[in-house]
Amino acid sequence: MEPHLRLVTGTIDRVFTGRQPWQIVAITTTTVLGTVWLCQVLFQDESLYRRAKKKVFKLARLIPAVRRKVDAEIKKINDGFIKDISQAGNYYTELPNDGMSQDKILKQVDEYLDLGHYRWKEGFISGAVYYYNPELIRLVTEVYGKASYTNPLHPDVFPGVCKMEAEVVRMTATLFHGGPSACGTMTTGGTESIMMACKAYRDYANDHRGITKPNMVLPVTAHTGFDKAAKYLGIFTKVVPVNAATTEVDIAAMERAINRNTVMLVGSAPNFPYGTMDDIQAIAALGRKYNIPVHVDACLGGFLIVFMKRAGYPVRPFDFSIPGVTSISADTHKYGFTPKGSSVVLYSEKVYRHYQYTVTTDWPGGVYGSPTVNGSRAGGIIAATWATMMNFGLDGYVEATKRIIDTTRYIEKELRAIKNIFIFGTPATSVIGIGSRDFDIFLLGGELSNLGWNLNSLQFPSGIHICVTYMHTEPGVADKFVQDIRTKVALIMKNPTKPVEGKMAIYGVAQSVPDRELIGDFTKCFIDSMYYTPVDMTTGGK
């Protein structure tokens, strides 16, 4: 007999020898109940350490002195956010008594759109606006106007809009090598596309495998939209690390994280922080091995990566050409250059899309079915997306992709030649993550902000990144960006230990705060500030 089996049987003998039957029943019952409780405590998806840490901070906040200190800090942060967001001039806090004239409305809109100091039309921001062309704006404005009243919730009334949506989905599926059974829907953005895939796999796993406590396994670099979907849908996120050198997901760690409650695996093509691409082939192999659906998040660079081979840039397989990839999300409103508010979620088979749907059969208002989160949807956005894709065509997208990737590779090459900074991994498409081992990288972020550049800040580890868009391909923009970094790095190295000040300091401090719930409170203050209106101001329209 094996040693561990001898230990178990010996323990059983010692416990039960000489006991009365009723004692054996009592001991057995107590042991079983205790074991069940212990398993519930120890074998939850979230670690015992993380749960204990949260509990400690929650209890600490109940101490009056700590609570007062926390409240004071939150108020200070909140006041700062309001100061930054508030704008000069009147705010409308009540409807004007008389309707405003169209001329005045248009004038006010122009004034509101001119608020802010970043030169986004000149390519001084990272991502956010991926293409700006007055001729395209005129086209989509006219198309949106024609279809602004339409609602695909009523396909019998607006069959043309439904036809356009179906064509957008099919054209996108074709780009991602979807076969005849590939299908999908349009959504309002990447987060909704991600959420729909998560819902589909949660419900599919419940129906086919009886899973009631679902989890998804994803890289730490996967978009935060998955965390949002998990909170909405009651799915636990099992986050796995990435390779420090490549910033690609650790496949061995991903496999270890899989258990019987795993309903989906996630890979990014590319990820948001560093623009690197996970090994989708290896993730798909895990999906096949354990019979788990695999979602590829191509929201950010999907409408670049599908054209890169045609533009002369090799790229690893990432789409439905890989057996085991069962869904893909891709944002048309990024490098598809469509108006904001459109994305596509695709599936390899209709069975998955069916679980995305929400269907109610017993409502007094009738049988109700909806493909996405929204019931009524903006037909204008669907029409404008269709029009943009038809306007660019395959050759237009390939040309735009070539310009953007050419520019990204140029910036990457020049930045790698600058001492005292480094590039995270190898960018797959258009995002370049920048770090430093010689100074606080947020010093560079602050200096670039002073010059008008608006870059994204990263944490764990500290970094900044630029998401290259079509605007950066305009003459002189990339050169100016590289030169500004070269100049500012040289300046920083004269005093590399200088503390970070201003807004950039918050990012560094936020990483060092162990109570992440406190950082969440600060973030809520920032979101609150976006809805700021003065409470004591006379209505601007009166």
Side-chain angles (χ1 to χ4, degrees):
M1 184 182 291
E2 294 295 330
H4 63 279
L5 292 179
R6 286 200 300 270
L7 178 63
V8 171
T9 56
T11 301
I12 292 173
D13 287 341
R14 286 194 300 274
V15 170
F16 290 114
T17 299
R19 303 282 185 181
Q20 295 296 319
W22 68 268
Q23 291 176 314
I24 293 175
V25 171
I27 291 171
T28 303
T29 303
T30 303
T31 302
V32 170
L33 291 175
T35 302
V36 170
W37 175 83
L38 186 62
C39 288
Q40 288 176 339
V41 171
L42 295 179
F43 298 103
Q44 293 183 29
D45 284 320
E46 188 175 36
S47 70
L48 184 61
Y49 169 76
R50 286 186 63 186
R51 281 177 279 140
K53 184 178 174 183
K54 288 180 180 178
K55 190 67 174 178
V56 167
F57 286 125
K58 189 176 289 289
L59 291 173
R61 285 189 176 211
L62 298 177
I63 302 172
V66 174
R67 181 72 258 172
R68 286 194 296 270
K69 179 65 175 176
V70 168
D71 289 344
E73 288 300 314
I74 290 176
K75 184 179 185 307
K76 181 180 176 182
I77 292 287
N78 187 64
D79 291 345
F81 285 144
I82 289 177
K83 182 180 178 182
D84 288 342
I85 202 73
S86 60
Q87 302 292 332
N90 288 338
Y91 279 75
Y92 292 95
T93 58
E94 297 177 6
L95 282 173
N97 290 331
D98 299 320
M100 191 182 292
S101 69
Q102 292 187 14
D103 287 342
K104 187 174 182 180
I105 289 171
L106 293 173
K107 183 174 181 293
Q108 290 263 258
V109 169
D110 287 339
E111 290 177 0
Y112 281 21
L113 294 179
D114 284 338
L115 296 175
H117 64 280
Y118 286 111
R119 295 149 60 184
W120 60 269
K121 292 180 183 178
E122 300 171 48
F124 273 67
I125 62 171
S126 171
V129 181
Y130 293 82
Y131 190 87
Y132 181 76
N133 183 299
E135 291 184 7
L136 180 62
I137 290 174
R138 279 194 290 272
L139 171 65
V140 298
T141 299
E142 186 169 349
V143 170
Y144 188 94
K146 289 175 178 291
S148 60
Y149 57 87
T150 64
N151 182 357
L153 181 63
H154 304 280
D156 52 338
V157 182
F158 306 109
V161 171
C162 292
K163 183 173 185 287
M164 284 188 274
E165 179 178 11
E167 290 178 356
V168 168
V169 170
R170 177 51 53 191
M171 288 188 290
T172 306
T174 300
L175 290 172
F176 283 93
H177 294 106
S181 60
C183 58
T185 69
M186 287 184 65
T187 68
T188 57
T191 295
E192 189 183 2
S193 288
I194 288 169
M195 185 177 292
M196 291 295 89
C198 293
K199 179 197 178 298
Y201 293 140
R202 181 199 66 175
D203 293 355
Y204 177 86
N206 178 262
D207 202 15
H208 288 258
R209 296 165 56 195
I211 293 176
T212 58
K213 295 183 179 179
N215 69 62
M216 65 175 93
V217 178
L218 67 164
V220 67
T221 50
H223 195 273
T224 189
F226 288 97
D227 186 59
K228 188 180 207 178
K231 286 180 169 65
Y232 273 86
L233 298 168
I235 304 173
F236 186 81
T237 54
K238 301 191 74 173
V239 179
V240 296
V242 296
N243 180 287
T246 65
T247 70
E248 296 175 20
V249 67
D250 183 331
I251 297 298
M254 176 169 270
E255 182 166 19
R256 288 194 297 271
I258 295 171
N259 64 23
R260 63 187 180 85
N261 287 325
T262 302
V263 300
M264 64 186 292
L265 307 178
V266 175
S268 303
N271 62 54
F272 175 84
Y274 314 116
T276 53
M277 185 170 76
D278 293 319
D279 187 344
I280 304 301
Q281 288 178 297
I283 297 173
L286 291 179
R288 295 194 303 272
K289 179 178 180 180
Y290 295 100
N291 194 29
I292 298 172
V294 172
H295 180 81
V296 175
D297 176 27
C299 285
L300 175 57
F303 272 78
L304 286 177
I305 202 166
V306 292
F307 302 113
M308 283 179 61
K309 280 188 178 180
R310 294 181 179 90
Y313 285 96
V315 62
R316 290 183 297 175
F318 59 90
D319 57 16
F320 290 128
S321 62
I322 305 173
V325 171
T326 53
S327 60
I328 298 172
S329 51
D331 285 359
T332 43
H333 69 192
K334 290 188 173 73
Y335 292 101
F337 308 134
T338 70
K340 292 299 176 185
S342 74
S343 177
V344 177
V345 57
L346 303 169
Y347 299 96
S348 59
E349 304 285 343
K350 285 183 180 179
V351 63
Y352 298 121
R353 184 172 66 174
H354 284 174
Y355 283 97
Q356 173 183 307
Y357 299 162
T358 299
V359 177
T360 303
T361 58
D362 299 324
W363 179 43
V367 175
Y368 178 87
S370 175
T372 60
V373 170
N374 295 307
S376 294
R377 292 186 291 152
I381 287 292
I382 293 172
T385 298
W386 180 89
T388 303
M389 293 176 68
M390 299 301 285
N391 183 246
F392 267 89
L394 181 62
D395 289 345
Y397 279 122
V398 171
E399 175 58 27
T401 297
K402 178 169 176 50
R403 289 185 60 172
I404 291 168
I405 302 301
D406 283 350
T407 302
T408 304
R409 296 291 187 266
Y410 168 75
I411 293 174
E412 178 191 353
K413 178 175 72 71
E414 293 297 312
L415 294 185
R416 288 189 186 277
I418 299 175
K419 292 182 179 180
N420 309 116
I421 61 173
F422 66 87
I423 304 302
F424 288 97
T426 302
T429 55
S430 59
V431 174
I432 305 170
I434 308 166
S436 176
R437 300 180 183 90
D438 301 322
F439 62 87
D440 190 328
I441 195 65
F442 295 136
L443 282 171
L444 179 59
E447 292 290 343
L448 292 172
S449 180
N450 292 337
L451 295 178
W453 295 100
N454 180 261
L455 306 185
N456 296 88
S457 298
L458 314 175
Q459 61 177 353
F460 308 126
S462 297
I464 56 178
H465 87 206
I466 181 170
C467 179
V468 178
T469 68
Y470 196 85
M471 272 86 87
H472 297 110
T473 71
E474 296 298 327
V477 177
D479 287 324
K480 177 166 178 51
F481 178 71
V482 170
Q483 185 55 47
D484 283 347
I485 286 188
R486 187 179 289 118
T487 300
K488 290 303 182 181
V489 168
L491 176 66
I492 290 169
M493 288 307 298
K494 292 179 181 179
N495 184 15
T497 59
K498 176 185 175 183
V500 182
E501 298 176 349
K503 190 165 56 176
M504 296 304 296
I506 296 176
Y507 293 102
V509 172
Q511 294 176 86
S512 63
V513 176
D515 185 356
R516 304 314 293 172
E517 188 174 331
L518 185 60
I519 302 303
D521 288 341
F522 293 162
T523 306
K524 291 170 186 174
C525 289
F526 173 74
I527 298 172
D528 283 345
S529 72
M530 295 162 54
Y531 295 93
Y532 166 77
T533 55
V535 295
D536 58 348
M537 177 171 284
T538 303
T539 301
K542 288 185 176 178

